[in-house]
Every structure is written in C-alpha cells, then in structure tokens.
Amino acid sequence: QAGMASPENPEQLIIALEPEAASIYCRKLRLHQMIELSSRAPVNGYSPSDTIGTGFTQAKEHIRRNRQSRTFLVENVIGEIWSELEEGDRYIVVDSGGGTVDITVHQIRLPEGHLKELYKATGGPYGSLGVDYEFEKLLCKIFGEDFIEQFKIKRPAAWVDLMIAFESRKRAAAPDRTNPLNITLPFSFIDYYKKFRGHSVEHALRKSNVDFVKWSSQGMLRMSPDAMNALFKPTIDQIVQHLSDVFDKPEVTNVKFLFLVGGFAESPLLQQAVQSAFGSRCRVIIPQDVGLTILKGAVLFGLDPAVIKVRRSPLTYGVGVLNRFVEGRHPPEKLLVKDGTRWCTDVFDRFISADQSVALGETVTRSYTPAKPSQLVIVINIYSSEQESVGFITEPGVKKCGTLRLDLTGTDAAVPNRREIKTLMQFGDTEIKAMAIDVATSKSVKVGIDFLNY
C-alpha cells in the first residue's frame, strides 16, 4: 500500500526475519562493539548503573587493559568472522523486546561464513511488558482493582503518563542498586483517587500491607530496589526457563556464545540472570548498541540476502488435492464419484515438513491437472500444520493459510485433452514463492499466492 514494491517489481521489497537479523549483526561485531558479561560484578569494567550506550570509551579502555585476557580477535576475512569461531561452531541469539523473546540457534559454515539455522526460532510472550503488567498488579493491590480499571477509562492520558514514568524507573533497576526508586504519581491520579475513595493516596499506602512501597513527602511512590526487582522476577524466570529448555535440545550442544540483544537486553537484571544461569556453558555477549541490533542486522541482510543458506521450516506446508480413491487405504466418507471416476477428497499433499532443513532457493515440484480440460483458472488451497505428518486437510490443527491461483488463460488456444500444470514452490527464502508451467506449451502460468486473507 505504501508503494514500496509493485506487482511488477516485487523484488524491490525483501522481508528480513528478526532473529536472523540479530544473528547476522552479532556475527559482524568488532571488538570494541561488545560487552562480555563475566562473573565480575561490574559489567565489563564499568558499573551497571551506566547505560550500555556510554560504553565505547570505557570498553576500549577495558580492552586495552585486558589485552592479555581472552578477548575476541577479529580477522578481516569475508564477513569478519571472529578468529575464534570455527567451522561448525554454534551460537544462540536471544532477542528480547517489549512483547516477546525470540531464540535462534545458528551454526557457522566456512569458508564464506554462511549461517545455518539449527533450531527453528522459538519464543514466547516474555518481553519487558511483563514487568509493566506486574507493576499494574502492584497498583491494584495498593489502590484496588476497581479504582485502577476506572482510572484507566476515565483518565487515559494520565494513565499513560504514569506508565511512562514507570518505564524510565524500570530502566534504572539494577541488581546492586541500594537507593530507592521514586515514581511520580500524576496529580489527576491523586485527585481522582480522593474523589473515588474519599481518602488520600497516602492513607491507601499506609493501610495496604505492601510494606516495600512508601509515600514520599514530595508526592511520589518510593519503591525499594527489592520491590522493583520483584516486578522483573516472573518475566526473567520465564526467559531463563525457556532458554534452559532450548539448551536441553539435542541439536543445541556445544554452544560457544550466547548473544543477548533487543531492548530488554539493556536491563542489568536480565543480563545478570542470563549470565549466572548460562555463563558456565557459554560466553554471554551483549552488543554495544543492543537496542539497534535488529535494525542494523536487517540492513546487512538486505545487502546480502544469501548470507543465510539453510533455514528450518516452522510448519508443515501442503495443498489440498483429489486423489484416486484406493479401497482399504482411504476412509469411505472421503469418497467422491465424478463422471464415473472414484476420487478421495481432502487429501493433504505435503510440500515440506515442520522442522525440515531447507536450503536457500530449494524448490518442491508438483504436477496438477485441471478437473475439466476447458478450465481457465485452477485455485489450489495451501494449508499448514504444526504436525510433521498430515494425511488430510480436515485433521485437527490444519489451517488454511493461502491460495495458489494458476491463471491458464492465454497459454494456448488448442487445449489438449489431458492438461498438466507443473508447480514449483520455493521454501528456503524468507517468503514462500511459487511459479507454474503449462507442460504442453512450456509457457509459464500466472501465479499468485494470497496469504493475507486468512
């Protein structure tokens, strides 16, 4: 709609996958662009209360002092792979944002340093919004759920202001912080609460049994560092648990590095939790401008989309077809008799299985025949499932995810009796593409896949 690409020039637009973009960028990092979390308390020679963004000078200084320690050596080979990474080495990229955390495992393939995806990207709703949700639960505990619900409806702008105030304090939370965090309550919160309840916010705080949140004389909520850290705990625990599950997978052995990227990766609490849980298994690394990792990786991917050579299919894909009915093999309720021929309906013709490795540009070929020779359009429905083996499109978990439309007009006037259309679908890219050929005339047939209306 924005006119970035047209049907005539679809190649003007390339879709980059977030976890891959993160991975590509991490692989290009230079020495001074990384912070290695070790068991030392200050993050790489400067205290965690500094934001990571101030890092360049300290990080360079730190590296100069620690030349003799195991720092990264970067050789300028194709794609600037670290000299420490060898053929077959594996690394994990953990992309933690506001809403979700995505995890991908990649393996280096030399000499060009291409990447192979070993473990399909997984994740869950364990982003930093979980921390905001815990804060909201805390407010409900102090002021009552009924009040918070009403306040959100009646004073939406003030509610947003309050969450923005919380956001900036959230960024100041750190494992070794000793002084309390103050959160300014908007005036309309204090005012509306008095009208709603008939007593003051201060009174509510005194009455509530939440002892680690106090009311300061300047009119702020004063939270102890422990109270703030407790808001992070459920979300961070889920991330660590999810990562533990990934580490236990057979294809995820001998991981050398764990890259922590995305906006939530700026949190020293998350950094410390990941380091203490997995620091003994691999080296935990944070890029300097961690919030921009994905953006920069997407640009690198756009410059060289062939950098990722092998992906894993997230789902099983196939199309719904009619096959000749075979007694004893096909269920009787699927029988359809048409012009004296016995057909089995709803057959799932599988193109690719979930978790299967697919190389860039790998195609799957199938031949289809129109039901009637005079037909001018064939519409084939594309289905997906999380299950690896699927027999029929009516099985539970099978979803229609697109339609493949083959336009047979204009291929040839003299239509042969039995017409064969060869369909090629390409899976190894970030998008599924299709082309089709009319075998009799060798002319290509117009193809469109519609994934948007499902």
Side-chain angles (χ1 to χ4, degrees), residues 409-429:
T409 53
T411 40
D412 209 327
V415 176
N417 285 342
R418 186 176 150 71
R419 199 164 185 193
E420 189 190 350
I421 307 293
K422 200 160 122 191
T423 310
L424 295 92
M425 286 186 89
Q426 196 178 8
F427 284 94
D429 215 335

PDB file of all heavy atoms in Angstrom, residues 409-429:
ATOM      1  N   THR A 409      -5.431 -18.742 -18.730  1.00  0.00           N
ATOM      2  CA  THR A 409      -5.845 -18.029 -19.942  1.00  0.00           C
ATOM      3  C   THR A 409      -4.607 -17.596 -20.711  1.00  0.00           C
ATOM      4  O   THR A 409      -3.564 -17.304 -20.126  1.00  0.00           O
ATOM      5  CB  THR A 409      -6.665 -16.771 -19.586  1.00  0.00           C
ATOM      6  OG1 THR A 409      -5.898 -16.008 -18.664  1.00  0.00           O
ATOM      7  CG2 THR A 409      -7.989 -17.129 -18.964  1.00  0.00           C
ATOM      8  N   GLY A 410      -4.732 -17.590 -22.007  1.00  0.00           N
ATOM      9  CA  GLY A 410      -3.641 -17.075 -22.841  1.00  0.00           C
ATOM     10  C   GLY A 410      -2.454 -17.999 -22.979  1.00  0.00           C
ATOM     11  O   GLY A 410      -1.433 -17.608 -23.520  1.00  0.00           O
ATOM     12  N   THR A 411      -2.546 -19.234 -22.479  1.00  0.00           N
ATOM     13  CA  THR A 411      -1.398 -20.131 -22.665  1.00  0.00           C
ATOM     14  C   THR A 411      -1.451 -20.757 -24.063  1.00  0.00           C
ATOM     15  O   THR A 411      -0.464 -20.782 -24.763  1.00  0.00           O
ATOM     16  CB  THR A 411      -1.337 -21.223 -21.585  1.00  0.00           C
ATOM     17  OG1 THR A 411      -2.649 -21.679 -21.330  1.00  0.00           O
ATOM     18  CG2 THR A 411      -0.705 -20.712 -20.322  1.00  0.00           C
ATOM     19  N   ASP A 412      -2.618 -21.245 -24.466  1.00  0.00           N
ATOM     20  CA  ASP A 412      -2.731 -21.780 -25.824  1.00  0.00           C
ATOM     21  C   ASP A 412      -4.194 -21.961 -26.175  1.00  0.00           C
ATOM     22  O   ASP A 412      -4.997 -22.314 -25.313  1.00  0.00           O
ATOM     23  CB  ASP A 412      -1.999 -23.126 -25.949  1.00  0.00           C
ATOM     24  CG  ASP A 412      -1.496 -23.331 -27.374  1.00  0.00           C
ATOM     25  OD1 ASP A 412      -2.183 -22.852 -28.299  1.00  0.00           O
ATOM     26  OD2 ASP A 412      -0.441 -23.945 -27.550  1.00  0.00           O
ATOM     27  N   ALA A 413      -4.531 -21.763 -27.464  1.00  0.00           N
ATOM     28  CA  ALA A 413      -5.935 -21.903 -27.878  1.00  0.00           C
ATOM     29  C   ALA A 413      -6.326 -23.369 -27.942  1.00  0.00           C
ATOM     30  O   ALA A 413      -7.373 -23.775 -27.431  1.00  0.00           O
ATOM     31  CB  ALA A 413      -6.152 -21.232 -29.220  1.00  0.00           C
ATOM     32  N   ALA A 414      -5.470 -24.178 -28.544  1.00  0.00           N
ATOM     33  CA  ALA A 414      -5.803 -25.606 -28.667  1.00  0.00           C
ATOM     34  C   ALA A 414      -5.468 -26.293 -27.354  1.00  0.00           C
ATOM     35  O   ALA A 414      -4.303 -26.495 -27.024  1.00  0.00           O
ATOM     36  CB  ALA A 414      -4.994 -26.224 -29.800  1.00  0.00           C
ATOM     37  N   VAL A 415      -6.507 -26.624 -26.592  1.00  0.00           N
ATOM     38  CA  VAL A 415      -6.266 -27.218 -25.272  1.00  0.00           C
ATOM     39  C   VAL A 415      -6.194 -28.730 -25.411  1.00  0.00           C
ATOM     40  O   VAL A 415      -7.128 -29.351 -25.924  1.00  0.00           O
ATOM     41  CB  VAL A 415      -7.410 -26.826 -24.297  1.00  0.00           C
ATOM     42  CG1 VAL A 415      -7.212 -27.506 -22.964  1.00  0.00           C
ATOM     43  CG2 VAL A 415      -7.441 -25.320 -24.127  1.00  0.00           C
ATOM     44  N   PRO A 416      -5.076 -29.353 -24.999  1.00  0.00           N
ATOM     45  CA  PRO A 416      -5.005 -30.820 -25.081  1.00  0.00           C
ATOM     46  C   PRO A 416      -5.984 -31.469 -24.105  1.00  0.00           C
ATOM     47  O   PRO A 416      -6.440 -30.833 -23.152  1.00  0.00           O
ATOM     48  CB  PRO A 416      -3.560 -31.120 -24.667  1.00  0.00           C
ATOM     49  CG  PRO A 416      -3.107 -29.933 -23.898  1.00  0.00           C
ATOM     50  CD  PRO A 416      -3.876 -28.758 -24.427  1.00  0.00           C
ATOM     51  N   ASN A 417      -6.310 -32.743 -24.362  1.00  0.00           N
ATOM     52  CA  ASN A 417      -7.286 -33.433 -23.502  1.00  0.00           C
ATOM     53  C   ASN A 417      -6.835 -33.491 -22.062  1.00  0.00           C
ATOM     54  O   ASN A 417      -7.577 -33.228 -21.140  1.00  0.00           O
ATOM     55  CB  ASN A 417      -7.513 -34.867 -24.006  1.00  0.00           C
ATOM     56  CG  ASN A 417      -8.369 -34.836 -25.258  1.00  0.00           C
ATOM     57  OD1 ASN A 417      -9.030 -33.826 -25.510  1.00  0.00           O
ATOM     58  ND2 ASN A 417      -8.323 -35.906 -26.041  1.00  0.00           N
ATOM     59  N   ARG A 418      -5.580 -33.926 -21.883  1.00  0.00           N
ATOM     60  CA  ARG A 418      -5.093 -34.021 -20.509  1.00  0.00           C
ATOM     61  C   ARG A 418      -4.067 -32.926 -20.346  1.00  0.00           C
ATOM     62  O   ARG A 418      -3.017 -32.928 -20.996  1.00  0.00           O
ATOM     63  CB  ARG A 418      -4.476 -35.392 -20.285  1.00  0.00           C
ATOM     64  CG  ARG A 418      -4.079 -35.598 -18.833  1.00  0.00           C
ATOM     65  CD  ARG A 418      -3.554 -37.012 -18.623  1.00  0.00           C
ATOM     66  NE  ARG A 418      -2.565 -37.016 -17.561  1.00  0.00           N
ATOM     67  CZ  ARG A 418      -2.822 -36.837 -16.272  1.00  0.00           C
ATOM     68  NH1 ARG A 418      -4.044 -36.629 -15.873  1.00  0.00           N
ATOM     69  NH2 ARG A 418      -1.856 -36.866 -15.370  1.00  0.00           N
ATOM     70  N   ARG A 419      -4.381 -32.008 -19.504  1.00  0.00           N
ATOM     71  CA  ARG A 419      -3.523 -30.843 -19.356  1.00  0.00           C
ATOM     72  C   ARG A 419      -2.728 -30.957 -18.052  1.00  0.00           C
ATOM     73  O   ARG A 419      -3.306 -31.271 -17.021  1.00  0.00           O
ATOM     74  CB  ARG A 419      -4.413 -29.617 -19.297  1.00  0.00           C
ATOM     75  CG  ARG A 419      -3.669 -28.372 -19.590  1.00  0.00           C
ATOM     76  CD  ARG A 419      -4.648 -27.292 -19.885  1.00  0.00           C
ATOM     77  NE  ARG A 419      -3.910 -26.121 -20.278  1.00  0.00           N
ATOM     78  CZ  ARG A 419      -4.433 -24.923 -20.374  1.00  0.00           C
ATOM     79  NH1 ARG A 419      -5.693 -24.745 -20.121  1.00  0.00           N
ATOM     80  NH2 ARG A 419      -3.701 -23.902 -20.734  1.00  0.00           N
ATOM     81  N   GLU A 420      -1.430 -30.706 -18.120  1.00  0.00           N
ATOM     82  CA  GLU A 420      -0.613 -30.848 -16.905  1.00  0.00           C
ATOM     83  C   GLU A 420       0.049 -29.504 -16.585  1.00  0.00           C
ATOM     84  O   GLU A 420       0.663 -28.892 -17.447  1.00  0.00           O
ATOM     85  CB  GLU A 420       0.457 -31.917 -17.144  1.00  0.00           C
ATOM     86  CG  GLU A 420       1.209 -32.279 -15.882  1.00  0.00           C
ATOM     87  CD  GLU A 420       2.429 -33.171 -16.184  1.00  0.00           C
ATOM     88  OE1 GLU A 420       2.570 -33.657 -17.327  1.00  0.00           O
ATOM     89  OE2 GLU A 420       3.235 -33.349 -15.275  1.00  0.00           O
ATOM     90  N   ILE A 421      -0.140 -29.080 -15.349  1.00  0.00           N
ATOM     91  CA  ILE A 421       0.487 -27.837 -14.905  1.00  0.00           C
ATOM     92  C   ILE A 421       1.523 -28.198 -13.845  1.00  0.00           C
ATOM     93  O   ILE A 421       1.201 -28.812 -12.828  1.00  0.00           O
ATOM     94  CB  ILE A 421      -0.549 -26.874 -14.279  1.00  0.00           C
ATOM     95  CG1 ILE A 421      -1.736 -26.639 -15.226  1.00  0.00           C
ATOM     96  CG2 ILE A 421       0.123 -25.556 -13.876  1.00  0.00           C
ATOM     97  CD1 ILE A 421      -1.405 -25.884 -16.484  1.00  0.00           C
ATOM     98  N   LYS A 422       2.779 -27.852 -14.115  1.00  0.00           N
ATOM     99  CA  LYS A 422       3.851 -28.166 -13.177  1.00  0.00           C
ATOM    100  C   LYS A 422       4.009 -26.961 -12.239  1.00  0.00           C
ATOM    101  O   LYS A 422       4.194 -25.836 -12.706  1.00  0.00           O
ATOM    102  CB  LYS A 422       5.133 -28.399 -13.968  1.00  0.00           C
ATOM    103  CG  LYS A 422       6.178 -29.178 -13.218  1.00  0.00           C
ATOM    104  CD  LYS A 422       7.168 -29.759 -14.204  1.00  0.00           C
ATOM    105  CE  LYS A 422       8.559 -29.269 -13.888  1.00  0.00           C
ATOM    106  NZ  LYS A 422       9.524 -29.576 -14.924  1.00  0.00           N
ATOM    107  N   THR A 423       3.915 -27.198 -10.945  1.00  0.00           N
ATOM    108  CA  THR A 423       4.008 -26.106  -9.971  1.00  0.00           C
ATOM    109  C   THR A 423       5.299 -26.245  -9.170  1.00  0.00           C
ATOM    110  O   THR A 423       5.605 -27.319  -8.665  1.00  0.00           O
ATOM    111  CB  THR A 423       2.822 -26.173  -8.995  1.00  0.00           C
ATOM    112  OG1 THR A 423       1.637 -26.287  -9.769  1.00  0.00           O
ATOM    113  CG2 THR A 423       2.734 -24.939  -8.136  1.00  0.00           C
ATOM    114  N   LEU A 424       6.039 -25.141  -9.058  1.00  0.00           N
ATOM    115  CA  LEU A 424       7.263 -25.153  -8.247  1.00  0.00           C
ATOM    116  C   LEU A 424       7.067 -24.174  -7.103  1.00  0.00           C
ATOM    117  O   LEU A 424       6.736 -23.013  -7.330  1.00  0.00           O
ATOM    118  CB  LEU A 424       8.475 -24.711  -9.072  1.00  0.00           C
ATOM    119  CG  LEU A 424       8.886 -25.619 -10.231  1.00  0.00           C
ATOM    120  CD1 LEU A 424       8.214 -25.168 -11.501  1.00  0.00           C
ATOM    121  CD2 LEU A 424      10.385 -25.610 -10.399  1.00  0.00           C
ATOM    122  N   MET A 425       7.264 -24.659  -5.892  1.00  0.00           N
ATOM    123  CA  MET A 425       7.188 -23.756  -4.750  1.00  0.00           C
ATOM    124  C   MET A 425       8.550 -23.701  -4.083  1.00  0.00           C
ATOM    125  O   MET A 425       9.209 -24.724  -3.913  1.00  0.00           O
ATOM    126  CB  MET A 425       6.113 -24.206  -3.762  1.00  0.00           C
ATOM    127  CG  MET A 425       4.735 -23.905  -4.293  1.00  0.00           C
ATOM    128  SD  MET A 425       3.460 -24.266  -3.097  1.00  0.00           S
ATOM    129  CE  MET A 425       3.334 -22.750  -2.239  1.00  0.00           C
ATOM    130  N   GLN A 426       8.946 -22.477  -3.738  1.00  0.00           N
ATOM    131  CA  GLN A 426      10.287 -22.271  -3.185  1.00  0.00           C
ATOM    132  C   GLN A 426      10.158 -21.936  -1.707  1.00  0.00           C
ATOM    133  O   GLN A 426       9.411 -21.035  -1.344  1.00  0.00           O
ATOM    134  CB  GLN A 426      10.908 -21.098  -3.937  1.00  0.00           C
ATOM    135  CG  GLN A 426      12.391 -21.000  -3.768  1.00  0.00           C
ATOM    136  CD  GLN A 426      12.938 -19.844  -4.583  1.00  0.00           C
ATOM    137  OE1 GLN A 426      12.197 -19.055  -5.141  1.00  0.00           O
ATOM    138  NE2 GLN A 426      14.244 -19.743  -4.639  1.00  0.00           N
ATOM    139  N   PHE A 427      10.904 -22.671  -0.862  1.00  0.00           N
ATOM    140  CA  PHE A 427      10.711 -22.528   0.581  1.00  0.00           C
ATOM    141  C   PHE A 427      11.881 -21.969   1.371  1.00  0.00           C
ATOM    142  O   PHE A 427      11.704 -21.512   2.470  1.00  0.00           O
ATOM    143  CB  PHE A 427      10.336 -23.883   1.195  1.00  0.00           C
ATOM    144  CG  PHE A 427       8.929 -24.272   0.917  1.00  0.00           C
ATOM    145  CD1 PHE A 427       8.610 -25.070  -0.156  1.00  0.00           C
ATOM    146  CD2 PHE A 427       7.902 -23.814   1.723  1.00  0.00           C
ATOM    147  CE1 PHE A 427       7.300 -25.417  -0.431  1.00  0.00           C
ATOM    148  CE2 PHE A 427       6.595 -24.152   1.469  1.00  0.00           C
ATOM    149  CZ  PHE A 427       6.291 -24.959   0.389  1.00  0.00           C
ATOM    150  N   GLY A 428      13.095 -22.039   0.852  1.00  0.00           N
ATOM    151  CA  GLY A 428      14.242 -21.686   1.710  1.00  0.00           C
ATOM    152  C   GLY A 428      14.418 -20.208   1.994  1.00  0.00           C
ATOM    153  O   GLY A 428      15.251 -19.822   2.796  1.00  0.00           O
ATOM    154  N   ASP A 429      13.615 -19.361   1.335  1.00  0.00           N
ATOM    155  CA  ASP A 429      13.773 -17.919   1.491  1.00  0.00           C
ATOM    156  C   ASP A 429      12.941 -17.419   2.672  1.00  0.00           C
ATOM    157  O   ASP A 429      12.273 -18.191   3.337  1.00  0.00           O
ATOM    158  CB  ASP A 429      13.303 -17.251   0.187  1.00  0.00           C
ATOM    159  CG  ASP A 429      14.120 -16.012  -0.140  1.00  0.00           C
ATOM    160  OD1 ASP A 429      14.669 -15.433   0.811  1.00  0.00           O
ATOM    161  OD2 ASP A 429      14.201 -15.641  -1.316  1.00  0.00           O
TER     162      ASP A 429
END
